[in-house]
PDB file of all heavy atoms in Angstrom:
ATOM      1  N   VAL Z  59     -11.247  33.202 -31.165  1.00 84.00           N
ATOM      2  CA  VAL Z  59     -12.061  32.275 -30.364  1.00 84.00           C
ATOM      3  C   VAL Z  59     -11.169  31.207 -29.794  1.00 84.00           C
ATOM      4  O   VAL Z  59     -11.270  30.857 -28.587  1.00 84.00           O
ATOM      5  CB  VAL Z  59     -13.211  31.663 -31.183  1.00 84.00           C
ATOM      6  CG1 VAL Z  59     -13.905  30.561 -30.429  1.00 84.00           C
ATOM      7  CG2 VAL Z  59     -14.219  32.742 -31.570  1.00 84.00           C
ATOM      8  N   PHE Z  60     -10.261  30.628 -30.581  1.00 79.00           N
ATOM      9  CA  PHE Z  60      -9.390  29.560 -30.101  1.00 79.00           C
ATOM     10  C   PHE Z  60      -8.499  30.043 -28.992  1.00 79.00           C
ATOM     11  O   PHE Z  60      -8.214  29.323 -28.038  1.00 79.00           O
ATOM     12  CB  PHE Z  60      -8.586  28.975 -31.288  1.00 79.00           C
ATOM     13  CG  PHE Z  60      -9.409  28.250 -32.319  1.00 79.00           C
ATOM     14  CD1 PHE Z  60      -8.866  27.874 -33.545  1.00 79.00           C
ATOM     15  CD2 PHE Z  60     -10.709  27.944 -32.071  1.00 79.00           C
ATOM     16  CE1 PHE Z  60      -9.601  27.212 -34.486  1.00 79.00           C
ATOM     17  CE2 PHE Z  60     -11.519  27.302 -33.002  1.00 79.00           C
ATOM     18  CZ  PHE Z  60     -10.933  26.935 -34.229  1.00 79.00           C
ATOM     19  N   TRP Z  61      -8.041  31.266 -29.164  1.00 82.00           N
ATOM     20  CA  TRP Z  61      -7.108  31.846 -28.168  1.00 82.00           C
ATOM     21  C   TRP Z  61      -7.901  32.032 -26.831  1.00 82.00           C
ATOM     22  O   TRP Z  61      -7.401  31.704 -25.738  1.00 82.00           O
ATOM     23  CB  TRP Z  61      -6.540  33.193 -28.628  1.00 82.00           C
ATOM     24  CG  TRP Z  61      -5.766  33.894 -27.572  1.00 82.00           C
ATOM     25  CD1 TRP Z  61      -4.640  33.471 -26.964  1.00 82.00           C
ATOM     26  CD2 TRP Z  61      -6.070  35.198 -27.021  1.00 82.00           C
ATOM     27  NE1 TRP Z  61      -4.206  34.440 -25.991  1.00 82.00           N
ATOM     28  CE2 TRP Z  61      -5.093  35.480 -26.082  1.00 82.00           C
ATOM     29  CE3 TRP Z  61      -7.099  36.166 -27.264  1.00 82.00           C
ATOM     30  CZ2 TRP Z  61      -5.076  36.682 -25.345  1.00 82.00           C
ATOM     31  CZ3 TRP Z  61      -7.071  37.301 -26.531  1.00 82.00           C
ATOM     32  CH2 TRP Z  61      -6.063  37.577 -25.561  1.00 82.00           C
ATOM     33  N   LYS Z  62      -9.128  32.547 -26.906  1.00 81.00           N
ATOM     34  CA  LYS Z  62      -9.933  32.796 -25.708  1.00 81.00           C
ATOM     35  C   LYS Z  62     -10.326  31.487 -25.005  1.00 81.00           C
ATOM     36  O   LYS Z  62     -10.513  31.451 -23.777  1.00 81.00           O
ATOM     37  CB  LYS Z  62     -11.239  33.585 -26.065  1.00 81.00           C
ATOM     38  CG  LYS Z  62     -10.925  35.038 -26.453  1.00 81.00           C
ATOM     39  CD  LYS Z  62     -10.605  35.853 -25.194  1.00 81.00           C
ATOM     40  CE  LYS Z  62     -10.485  37.328 -25.455  1.00 81.00           C
ATOM     41  NZ  LYS Z  62     -10.110  38.080 -24.264  1.00 81.00           N
ATOM     42  N   THR Z  63     -10.509  30.413 -25.763  1.00 79.00           N
ATOM     43  CA  THR Z  63     -10.900  29.160 -25.130  1.00 79.00           C
ATOM     44  C   THR Z  63      -9.665  28.289 -24.767  1.00 79.00           C
ATOM     45  O   THR Z  63      -9.863  27.097 -24.368  1.00 79.00           O
ATOM     46  CB  THR Z  63     -11.779  28.363 -26.106  1.00 79.00           C
ATOM     47  OG1 THR Z  63     -11.114  28.204 -27.395  1.00 79.00           O
ATOM     48  CG2 THR Z  63     -13.116  28.999 -26.307  1.00 79.00           C
ATOM     49  N   GLY Z  64      -8.472  28.795 -24.893  1.00 73.00           N
ATOM     50  CA  GLY Z  64      -7.260  28.129 -24.403  1.00 73.00           C
ATOM     51  C   GLY Z  64      -6.705  27.089 -25.347  1.00 73.00           C
ATOM     52  O   GLY Z  64      -5.876  26.212 -24.879  1.00 73.00           O
ATOM     53  N   LEU Z  65      -7.065  27.086 -26.610  1.00 72.00           N
ATOM     54  CA  LEU Z  65      -6.548  26.048 -27.517  1.00 72.00           C
ATOM     55  C   LEU Z  65      -5.125  26.361 -28.003  1.00 72.00           C
ATOM     56  O   LEU Z  65      -4.531  25.555 -28.748  1.00 72.00           O
ATOM     57  CB  LEU Z  65      -7.462  25.950 -28.766  1.00 72.00           C
ATOM     58  CG  LEU Z  65      -8.841  25.409 -28.475  1.00 72.00           C
ATOM     59  CD1 LEU Z  65      -9.626  25.158 -29.778  1.00 72.00           C
ATOM     60  CD2 LEU Z  65      -8.793  24.101 -27.713  1.00 72.00           C
ATOM     61  N   PHE Z  66      -4.531  27.474 -27.578  1.00 68.00           N
ATOM     62  CA  PHE Z  66      -3.112  27.752 -27.895  1.00 68.00           C
ATOM     63  C   PHE Z  66      -2.196  27.090 -26.843  1.00 68.00           C
ATOM     64  O   PHE Z  66      -1.000  27.121 -26.973  1.00 68.00           O
ATOM     65  CB  PHE Z  66      -2.829  29.248 -27.950  1.00 68.00           C
ATOM     66  CG  PHE Z  66      -3.386  29.936 -29.176  1.00 68.00           C
ATOM     67  CD1 PHE Z  66      -4.102  29.207 -30.138  1.00 68.00           C
ATOM     68  CD2 PHE Z  66      -3.117  31.220 -29.416  1.00 68.00           C
ATOM     69  CE1 PHE Z  66      -4.621  29.812 -31.278  1.00 68.00           C
ATOM     70  CE2 PHE Z  66      -3.606  31.840 -30.551  1.00 68.00           C
ATOM     71  CZ  PHE Z  66      -4.374  31.152 -31.479  1.00 68.00           C
ATOM     72  N   LYS Z  67      -2.832  26.518 -25.773  1.00 66.00           N
ATOM     73  CA  LYS Z  67      -2.053  25.883 -24.686  1.00 66.00           C
ATOM     74  C   LYS Z  67      -2.382  24.408 -24.709  1.00 66.00           C
ATOM     75  O   LYS Z  67      -3.207  23.929 -25.428  1.00 66.00           O
ATOM     76  CB  LYS Z  67      -2.436  26.500 -23.351  1.00 66.00           C
ATOM     77  CG  LYS Z  67      -2.138  27.995 -23.282  1.00 66.00           C
ATOM     78  CD  LYS Z  67      -2.577  28.535 -21.913  1.00 66.00           C
ATOM     79  CE  LYS Z  67      -2.371  30.065 -21.831  1.00 66.00           C
ATOM     80  NZ  LYS Z  67      -2.901  30.568 -20.519  1.00 66.00           N
ATOM     81  N   GLY Z  68      -1.723  23.706 -23.766  1.00 59.00           N
ATOM     82  CA  GLY Z  68      -1.989  22.245 -23.601  1.00 59.00           C
ATOM     83  C   GLY Z  68      -0.980  21.378 -24.291  1.00 59.00           C
ATOM     84  O   GLY Z  68      -0.299  21.815 -25.211  1.00 59.00           O
ATOM     85  N   TRP Z  69      -0.904  20.170 -23.816  1.00 51.00           N
ATOM     86  CA  TRP Z  69       0.015  19.147 -24.364  1.00 51.00           C
ATOM     87  C   TRP Z  69      -0.807  18.123 -25.164  1.00 51.00           C
ATOM     88  O   TRP Z  69      -1.601  17.392 -24.591  1.00 51.00           O
ATOM     89  CB  TRP Z  69       0.792  18.469 -23.221  1.00 51.00           C
ATOM     90  CG  TRP Z  69       1.662  19.400 -22.499  1.00 51.00           C
ATOM     91  CD1 TRP Z  69       1.399  20.151 -21.421  1.00 51.00           C
ATOM     92  CD2 TRP Z  69       3.022  19.693 -22.794  1.00 51.00           C
ATOM     93  NE1 TRP Z  69       2.474  20.908 -20.977  1.00 51.00           N
ATOM     94  CE2 TRP Z  69       3.490  20.639 -21.860  1.00 51.00           C
ATOM     95  CE3 TRP Z  69       3.915  19.232 -23.742  1.00 51.00           C
ATOM     96  CZ2 TRP Z  69       4.753  21.137 -21.856  1.00 51.00           C
ATOM     97  CZ3 TRP Z  69       5.187  19.744 -23.808  1.00 51.00           C
ATOM     98  CH2 TRP Z  69       5.654  20.715 -22.847  1.00 51.00           C
ATOM     99  N   TRP Z  70      -0.568  18.126 -26.442  1.00 51.00           N
ATOM    100  CA  TRP Z  70      -1.342  17.263 -27.319  1.00 51.00           C
ATOM    101  C   TRP Z  70      -1.142  15.773 -27.022  1.00 51.00           C
ATOM    102  O   TRP Z  70      -1.990  14.954 -27.274  1.00 51.00           O
ATOM    103  CB  TRP Z  70      -1.019  17.539 -28.776  1.00 51.00           C
ATOM    104  CG  TRP Z  70      -1.471  18.939 -29.194  1.00 51.00           C
ATOM    105  CD1 TRP Z  70      -2.188  19.846 -28.423  1.00 51.00           C
ATOM    106  CD2 TRP Z  70      -1.314  19.565 -30.490  1.00 51.00           C
ATOM    107  NE1 TRP Z  70      -2.405  20.952 -29.090  1.00 51.00           N
ATOM    108  CE2 TRP Z  70      -1.896  20.794 -30.376  1.00 51.00           C
ATOM    109  CE3 TRP Z  70      -0.714  19.126 -31.670  1.00 51.00           C
ATOM    110  CZ2 TRP Z  70      -1.926  21.707 -31.475  1.00 51.00           C
ATOM    111  CZ3 TRP Z  70      -0.734  20.028 -32.781  1.00 51.00           C
ATOM    112  CH2 TRP Z  70      -1.300  21.284 -32.639  1.00 51.00           C
ATOM    113  N   ARG Z  71       0.008  15.457 -26.454  1.00 53.00           N
ATOM    114  CA  ARG Z  71       0.282  14.011 -26.213  1.00 53.00           C
ATOM    115  C   ARG Z  71      -0.571  13.510 -25.053  1.00 53.00           C
ATOM    116  O   ARG Z  71      -0.666  12.310 -24.834  1.00 53.00           O
ATOM    117  CB  ARG Z  71       1.738  13.840 -25.862  1.00 53.00           C
ATOM    118  CG  ARG Z  71       2.241  14.587 -24.615  1.00 53.00           C
ATOM    119  CD  ARG Z  71       3.747  14.462 -24.483  1.00 53.00           C
ATOM    120  NE  ARG Z  71       4.237  15.133 -23.277  1.00 53.00           N
ATOM    121  CZ  ARG Z  71       5.498  15.379 -23.093  1.00 53.00           C
ATOM    122  NH1 ARG Z  71       6.406  14.966 -23.928  1.00 53.00           N
ATOM    123  NH2 ARG Z  71       5.874  16.028 -21.965  1.00 53.00           N
ATOM    124  N   TYR Z  72      -1.256  14.431 -24.321  1.00 51.00           N
ATOM    125  CA  TYR Z  72      -2.159  14.037 -23.190  1.00 51.00           C
ATOM    126  C   TYR Z  72      -3.608  14.359 -23.575  1.00 51.00           C
ATOM    127  O   TYR Z  72      -4.464  14.517 -22.670  1.00 51.00           O
ATOM    128  CB  TYR Z  72      -1.768  14.678 -21.912  1.00 51.00           C
ATOM    129  CG  TYR Z  72      -0.375  14.420 -21.465  1.00 51.00           C
ATOM    130  CD1 TYR Z  72       0.507  15.437 -21.233  1.00 51.00           C
ATOM    131  CD2 TYR Z  72       0.030  13.118 -21.288  1.00 51.00           C
ATOM    132  CE1 TYR Z  72       1.810  15.190 -20.826  1.00 51.00           C
ATOM    133  CE2 TYR Z  72       1.366  12.843 -20.877  1.00 51.00           C
ATOM    134  CZ  TYR Z  72       2.213  13.887 -20.644  1.00 51.00           C
ATOM    135  OH  TYR Z  72       3.491  13.619 -20.257  1.00 51.00           O
ATOM    136  N   ALA Z  73      -3.945  14.508 -24.861  1.00 53.00           N
ATOM    137  CA  ALA Z  73      -5.306  14.877 -25.286  1.00 53.00           C
ATOM    138  C   ALA Z  73      -6.293  13.875 -24.724  1.00 53.00           C
ATOM    139  O   ALA Z  73      -6.056  12.684 -24.747  1.00 53.00           O
ATOM    140  CB  ALA Z  73      -5.372  14.935 -26.794  1.00 53.00           C
ATOM    141  N   SER Z  74      -7.435  14.443 -24.254  1.00 60.00           N
ATOM    142  CA  SER Z  74      -8.434  13.554 -23.615  1.00 60.00           C
ATOM    143  C   SER Z  74      -9.821  13.984 -24.142  1.00 60.00           C
ATOM    144  O   SER Z  74     -10.002  14.891 -24.931  1.00 60.00           O
ATOM    145  CB  SER Z  74      -8.378  13.720 -22.068  1.00 60.00           C
ATOM    146  OG  SER Z  74      -8.708  15.039 -21.744  1.00 60.00           O
ATOM    147  N   MET Z  75     -10.883  13.300 -23.583  1.00 63.00           N
ATOM    148  CA  MET Z  75     -12.233  13.615 -23.951  1.00 63.00           C
ATOM    149  C   MET Z  75     -12.558  15.079 -23.590  1.00 63.00           C
ATOM    150  O   MET Z  75     -13.293  15.748 -24.286  1.00 63.00           O
ATOM    151  CB  MET Z  75     -13.167  12.638 -23.265  1.00 63.00           C
ATOM    152  CG  MET Z  75     -14.636  12.849 -23.642  1.00 63.00           C
ATOM    153  SD  MET Z  75     -14.986  12.612 -25.427  1.00 63.00           S
ATOM    154  CE  MET Z  75     -14.752  10.867 -25.531  1.00 63.00           C
ATOM    155  N   ALA Z  76     -12.022  15.519 -22.457  1.00 67.00           N
ATOM    156  CA  ALA Z  76     -12.254  16.887 -22.022  1.00 67.00           C
ATOM    157  C   ALA Z  76     -11.725  17.877 -23.046  1.00 67.00           C
ATOM    158  O   ALA Z  76     -12.395  18.910 -23.336  1.00 67.00           O
ATOM    159  CB  ALA Z  76     -11.634  17.172 -20.646  1.00 67.00           C
ATOM    160  N   ASP Z  77     -10.549  17.624 -23.625  1.00 70.00           N
ATOM    161  CA  ASP Z  77      -9.994  18.474 -24.666  1.00 70.00           C
ATOM    162  C   ASP Z  77     -10.880  18.467 -25.911  1.00 70.00           C
ATOM    163  O   ASP Z  77     -11.010  19.458 -26.520  1.00 70.00           O
ATOM    164  CB  ASP Z  77      -8.533  17.995 -25.012  1.00 70.00           C
ATOM    165  CG  ASP Z  77      -7.637  18.100 -23.834  1.00 70.00           C
ATOM    166  OD1 ASP Z  77      -7.528  19.184 -23.231  1.00 70.00           O
ATOM    167  OD2 ASP Z  77      -7.004  17.064 -23.512  1.00 70.00           O
ATOM    168  N   LEU Z  78     -11.386  17.313 -26.247  1.00 73.00           N
ATOM    169  CA  LEU Z  78     -12.301  17.177 -27.413  1.00 73.00           C
ATOM    170  C   LEU Z  78     -13.532  18.049 -27.250  1.00 73.00           C
ATOM    171  O   LEU Z  78     -13.981  18.652 -28.242  1.00 73.00           O
ATOM    172  CB  LEU Z  78     -12.646  15.713 -27.620  1.00 73.00           C
ATOM    173  CG  LEU Z  78     -13.036  15.278 -29.038  1.00 73.00           C
ATOM    174  CD1 LEU Z  78     -11.911  15.471 -29.962  1.00 73.00           C
ATOM    175  CD2 LEU Z  78     -13.514  13.838 -29.028  1.00 73.00           C
ATOM    176  N   ILE Z  79     -14.099  18.066 -26.071  1.00 79.00           N
ATOM    177  CA  ILE Z  79     -15.238  18.879 -25.841  1.00 79.00           C
ATOM    178  C   ILE Z  79     -14.943  20.353 -25.974  1.00 79.00           C
ATOM    179  O   ILE Z  79     -15.721  21.129 -26.550  1.00 79.00           O
ATOM    180  CB  ILE Z  79     -15.840  18.581 -24.422  1.00 79.00           C
ATOM    181  CG1 ILE Z  79     -16.429  17.183 -24.392  1.00 79.00           C
ATOM    182  CG2 ILE Z  79     -16.942  19.617 -24.037  1.00 79.00           C
ATOM    183  CD1 ILE Z  79     -16.821  16.669 -23.043  1.00 79.00           C
ATOM    184  N   VAL Z  80     -13.774  20.800 -25.480  1.00 79.00           N
ATOM    185  CA  VAL Z  80     -13.361  22.236 -25.609  1.00 79.00           C
ATOM    186  C   VAL Z  80     -13.161  22.564 -27.068  1.00 79.00           C
ATOM    187  O   VAL Z  80     -13.608  23.613 -27.536  1.00 79.00           O
ATOM    188  CB  VAL Z  80     -12.051  22.469 -24.829  1.00 79.00           C
ATOM    189  CG1 VAL Z  80     -11.493  23.860 -25.121  1.00 79.00           C
ATOM    190  CG2 VAL Z  80     -12.297  22.281 -23.330  1.00 79.00           C
ATOM    191  N   ILE Z  81     -12.595  21.664 -27.895  1.00 80.00           N
ATOM    192  CA  ILE Z  81     -12.367  21.883 -29.290  1.00 80.00           C
ATOM    193  C   ILE Z  81     -13.688  22.000 -30.008  1.00 80.00           C
ATOM    194  O   ILE Z  81     -13.935  22.902 -30.850  1.00 80.00           O
ATOM    195  CB  ILE Z  81     -11.551  20.760 -29.923  1.00 80.00           C
ATOM    196  CG1 ILE Z  81     -10.092  20.786 -29.376  1.00 80.00           C
ATOM    197  CG2 ILE Z  81     -11.488  20.893 -31.396  1.00 80.00           C
ATOM    198  CD1 ILE Z  81      -9.266  19.564 -29.765  1.00 80.00           C
TER     199      ILE Z  81
END
Side-chain angles (χ1 to χ4, degrees):
V59 172
F60 293 169
W61 173 61
K62 287 290 187 180
T63 52
L65 293 187
F66 286 3
K67 300 177 183 178
W69 295 89
W70 292 358
R71 63 188 180 190
Y72 301 123
S74 64
M75 183 61 70
D77 297 308
L78 204 62
I79 291 171
V80 173
I81 293 170

